[in-house]
Amino acid sequence: MSIQKTTVLAAFLSLFLSAAIGCGCGKGSNTADNGSRSTQKEDTLRLGNFNADSAYSYIAEQVAFGPRVPGTDAHRACRDWLINKFRRLGIDSIIVQEATVTASNGDVLPISNIIAGFYTDRPKRIVIAAHWDTRPWADQEAKAEDRAKPILGANDGGSGVAVILELVRNLAQNRPNVGVDFILFDAEDYGEHGAFDPNTESWCLGSQYWSRNIVPYRPDNLPEYGIVLDMVGGPNAVFNYEAYSAEKAPKPTIKVWSEAERLGYGNIFDRTIGGVVVDDHVFMNRAGIPTTDIIELNNHATGSFPATWHTLNDNLDNIDKNTLQAVGETLLNVIYKEKAY
């Protein structure tokens, strides 16, 4: 993914979202009929049993394959593992969308978008997505000789996938009230070599292909909203509102950040605008699904992405279970609070 900073747009969106929050948008007190009911007050109620240790183990299993760069043996092996993992966890349906795409440097890439879901026949649906590939170049390394090496992507790729797998484990045991789909996009991180590439179309090749060939939806049965997870496991992470998400998908953006705040994670989910990011949510929004992006884009040390971004240090040593817990628990509560039509 790439990032662009915003000023005027950020100020406008901050005012708009503050007004929406003041109106109580995104709040709700209904609970899901999923075996997780409680007599606790709404301000302390927690639904489900998200386990950060379990999520961490899913990252470790991905990293064990090595860099998951499209076209490599590690990529193919991880693909098969992900498909089998979804099945073993108890997902209702799984579709693998195979394609061949051409990267901006001319590389021809075999890709697999993996789409899994619960309650595929329910009219009300939401979708949660992440990318499962990893960057083929550590182009943010200080030493020039290291910049052509692929990254492990424990955070950038692995963390979003791991949170999704742990959500699936929970939902298989205690079913939601609505249909929930999960998409693992491929070839998100094959964008042009360099830091802040302005060429939007060189990134997110898997979600771009999917947006032109939407599976499993039709124009008349799109999910109500989507959530993208990207770099959601870094130490001391803070997730700001992403400006494109706030503009194109204010309702799910407010819903997620409000739930995080209710659960006590307001210090991690910051309501201020952090910037504009080119990520898979851009193409999900283009496909007609209002989608928000949970991504660390305003790191306190770098002012943008985390220091491990597109470096060889994006490994298990730089994964924080507390961050995984905050993101996963928030999403699980968002899902379980959804009511069917």
Side-chain angles (χ1 to χ4, degrees):
M1 77 296 296
S2 67
I3 186 170
Q4 299 171 340
K5 288 293 180 179
T6 179
T7 55
V8 176
L9 177 61
F12 171 78
L13 288 171
S14 291
L15 289 172
F16 169 77
L17 290 166
S18 295
I21 293 163
C23 293
C25 299
K27 289 284 187 178
S29 60
N30 54 294
T31 59
D33 185 14
N34 53 43
S36 302
R37 290 184 181 276
S38 170
T39 58
Q40 291 176 284
K41 293 181 179 179
E42 170 62 14
D43 61 353
T44 60
L45 180 65
R46 280 170 157 76
L47 303 172
N49 183 31
F50 189 90
N51 188 313
D53 289 328
S54 177
Y56 181 89
S57 74
Y58 296 145
I59 299 177
E61 290 183 86
Q62 293 173 80
V63 168
F65 290 105
R68 282 85 66 205
V69 177
T72 64
D73 289 341
H75 183 264
R76 286 184 286 271
C78 187
R79 169 192 175 276
D80 293 343
W81 176 81
L82 288 167
I83 293 168
N84 291 330
K85 194 70 173 180
F86 272 128
R87 288 172 175 156
R88 290 196 301 271
L89 288 173
I91 203 76
D92 287 352
S93 69
I94 188 163
I95 299 168
V96 181
Q97 184 184 51
E98 308 278 7
T100 301
V101 298
T102 302
S104 60
N105 65 352
D107 288 351
V108 178
L109 309 174
I111 66 167
S112 300
N113 293 325
I114 304 170
I115 302 108
F118 288 106
Y119 292 141
T120 57
D121 59 341
R122 296 207 171 175
K124 182 177 179 180
R125 317 196 60 71
I126 61 175
V127 57
I128 299 174
H131 75 91
W132 68 276
D133 65 301
T134 56
R135 181 77 167 158
W137 316 287
D139 49 349
Q140 294 303 294
E141 276 293 329
K143 295 181 180 179
E145 60 266 30
D146 290 333
R147 294 174 193 159
K149 298 176 181 178
I151 71 169
L152 280 175
N155 192 25
D156 194 357
S159 63
V161 172
V163 168
I164 282 177
L165 292 175
E166 178 61 9
L167 292 176
V168 170
R169 186 188 69 81
N170 273 264
L171 297 177
Q173 296 175 1
N174 295 300
R175 292 299 186 109
N177 296 318
V178 299
V180 183
D181 299 316
F182 300 96
I183 305 179
L184 302 185
F185 288 119
D186 205 351
E188 185 271 353
D189 233 347
Y190 222 94
E192 287 184 3
H193 200 281
F196 301 114
D197 166 33
N199 179 9
T200 303
E201 308 303 317
S202 79
W203 301 88
C204 308
L205 301 180
S207 57
Q208 284 192 62
Y209 179 86
W210 174 86
S211 71
R212 298 188 297 268
N213 306 270
I214 298 177
V215 176
Y217 312 116
R218 305 180 309 273
D220 62 342
N221 74 340
L222 294 177
E224 283 205 348
Y225 64 86
I227 302 168
V228 164
L229 310 177
D230 201 346
M231 296 192 291
V232 292
N236 303 310
V238 174
F239 304 106
N240 293 91
Y241 279 147
E242 189 273 330
Y244 188 85
S245 302
E247 178 188 9
K248 300 296 183 181
K251 289 184 178 179
T253 301
I254 294 169
K255 183 189 290 281
V256 171
W257 267 253
S258 295
E259 186 62 26
E261 188 175 81
R262 186 191 69 78
L263 292 169
Y265 298 126
N267 61 323
I268 297 175
F269 283 77
D270 187 334
R271 295 183 185 273
T272 58
I273 301 290
V276 178
V277 173
V278 178
D279 205 351
D280 290 318
H281 70 301
V282 170
F283 302 99
M284 293 178 70
N285 275 287
R286 288 187 187 178
I289 303 170
T291 302
T292 191
D293 195 9
I294 303 176
I295 181 170
E296 187 180 4
L297 50 74
N298 195 23
N299 180 270
H300 64 88
T302 67
S304 59
F305 293 136
T308 59
W309 175 66
H310 293 180
T311 75
L312 301 178
N313 288 323
D314 188 359
N315 54 39
L316 282 173
D317 291 339
N318 289 299
I319 293 296
D320 187 341
K321 293 179 184 178
N322 294 317
T323 306
L324 294 173
Q325 185 67 35
V327 174
E329 188 176 357
T330 295
L331 291 186
L332 197 55
N333 278 259
V334 167
I335 293 168
Y336 278 141
K337 285 188 171 184
E338 289 292 343
K339 298 182 71 175
Y341 291 133

